[in-house]
């Protein structure tokens, strides 16, 4: 087992690791147990009662958080003509086909890619390099669309993508340690509600199995399952 730092050990002493807390208490503790010297992200992890080996239980989507993530996202848009102009007007950081070549040469100074459907033939050729990094645009997350203005504006406003891992765990950032607690709580509830709506009809038994909130490199705080709707 990796040796924990003194700061991490001190953080563990601030709460009962075997206990579960209300959302409000968990968020408060996540802020208090941050162990880094920068404005850490606050994240939530939901372990869902799904079988990701089944196609209809591979949960993936995106949501615009009420209070954003606190992180500025650099947006790359693959579009032509008027759609390229719309993307630039909406605030996209990079626009154009030329970036396909740059990515093939190892350039990755962006966070999210948006593409119009007519560009996916070319963008699809980047699957080998974009796929492993989770950067491939996808209709399910609203990043393959003709409405590039809406896509760019939502990402800039604090849109986050979520995707269930093989184990059924979904991770999502819900803000920064510097956020007010009530804003973090509202962002938490927005992610929870999005996952509740995404529950597959074929998923049986308890859907929200376990939930935890943590800061970057901080300990996980368990959320009381009785207050998470199944």
């Amino acid at each position: 087992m990796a040796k924990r730092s003194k700061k991490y050990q001190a953080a563990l002493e601030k709460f009962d690791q075997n206990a579960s807390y209300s959302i409000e208490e968990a968020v408060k503790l996540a802020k208090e147990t941050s162990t880094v010297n920068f404005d850490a992200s606050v994240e939530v992890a939901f372990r869902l009662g799904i079988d990701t080996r089944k196609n209809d239980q591979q949960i993936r989507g995106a949501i615009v958080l009420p209070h954003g993530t606190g992180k500025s996202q650099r947006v790359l848009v693959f579009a032509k003509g008027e759609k390229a102009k719309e993307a630039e007007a909406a605030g996209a950081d990079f626009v154009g086909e030329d970036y396909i070549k740059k990515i093939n040469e190892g350039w990755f100074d962006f966070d999210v890619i948006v593409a119009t459907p007519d560009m996916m033939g070319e963008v699809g050729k980047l699957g080998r390099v974009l796929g492993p990094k989770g950067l491939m645009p996808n209709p399910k997350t609203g990043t393959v669309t003709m409405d590039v203005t809406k896509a760019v504006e939502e990402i800039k406003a604090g849109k986050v993508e979520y995707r269930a891992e093989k184990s059924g765990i979904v991770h999502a950032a819900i803000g920064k340690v510097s956020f007010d607690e009530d804003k973090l709580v509202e962002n938490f509830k927005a992610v929870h509600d999005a996952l509740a709506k995404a529950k597959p009809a074929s998923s049986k038994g308890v859907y929200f199995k376990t939930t935890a909130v943590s800061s970057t490199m901080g300990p996980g705080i368990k959320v009381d399952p009785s207050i998470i709707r199944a």
Side-chain angles (χ1 to χ4, degrees):
M1 183 179 291
K3 187 177 180 181
R4 300 295 191 182
S5 68
K6 290 183 178 179
K7 284 186 177 180
Y8 191 93
Q9 294 289 354
L12 290 177
E13 294 176 2
K14 294 182 179 181
F15 68 100
D16 183 348
Q17 298 176 61
N18 297 314
S20 295
Y21 297 85
S22 69
I23 298 169
E24 291 78 10
E25 290 172 328
V27 162
K28 184 173 185 292
L29 285 168
K31 285 166 58 74
E32 292 177 354
T33 56
S34 177
T35 62
V36 295
N37 296 320
F38 55 86
D39 191 11
S41 293
V42 177
E43 301 180 349
V44 61
F46 294 95
R47 186 166 69 89
L48 305 177
I50 57 175
D51 184 351
T52 56
R53 293 172 298 180
K54 299 178 179 178
N55 288 334
D56 65 335
Q57 295 192 31
Q58 294 177 2
I59 292 176
R60 182 175 186 177
I63 180 175
V64 179
L65 297 179
H67 304 288
T69 62
K71 178 183 178 182
S72 177
Q73 297 274 63
R74 297 165 298 175
V75 184
L76 164 61
V77 178
F78 289 120
K80 301 176 183 178
E82 288 301 314
K83 290 300 174 182
K85 293 178 182 178
E86 287 178 21
E88 291 174 347
D93 299 274
F94 313 101
V95 182
E97 300 173 70
D98 294 344
Y99 289 99
I100 291 176
K101 181 181 178 181
K102 290 193 68 173
I103 290 174
N104 272 321
E105 294 173 347
W107 177 78
F108 288 99
D109 292 337
F110 57 89
D111 301 298
V112 184
I113 295 177
V114 173
T116 52
D118 59 308
M119 288 296 300
M120 285 307 295
E122 291 300 313
V123 178
K125 297 175 183 178
L126 298 173
R128 180 177 55 83
V129 291
L130 296 179
K133 295 179 179 291
L135 292 170
M136 196 68 182
N138 189 296
K140 290 183 178 180
T141 59
T143 48
V144 177
T145 177
M146 288 300 290
D147 195 346
V148 293
T149 296
K150 179 181 177 182
V152 172
E153 290 178 347
E154 286 186 343
I155 293 167
K156 290 292 186 178
K159 184 176 184 178
V160 295
E161 296 184 11
Y162 56 84
R163 183 176 186 175
E165 301 173 355
K166 288 183 179 180
S167 59
I169 296 175
V170 174
H171 294 274
I174 57 171
K176 295 283 188 177
V177 166
S178 60
F179 278 28
D180 292 339
E181 290 169 22
D182 60 339
K183 291 182 178 180
L184 289 171
V185 169
E186 287 181 30
N187 281 351
F188 174 102
K189 290 180 177 178
V191 175
H192 167 267
D193 290 348
L195 290 177
K197 291 178 182 178
K199 180 181 179 180
S202 58
S203 172
K204 306 301 179 183
V206 177
Y207 182 53
F208 289 104
K209 289 192 169 182
T210 60
T211 305
V213 177
S214 64
S215 63
T216 303
M217 297 176 67
I221 317 297
K222 297 176 184 176
V223 178
D224 186 348
S226 68
I227 59 176
I228 298 292
R229 295 193 300 274

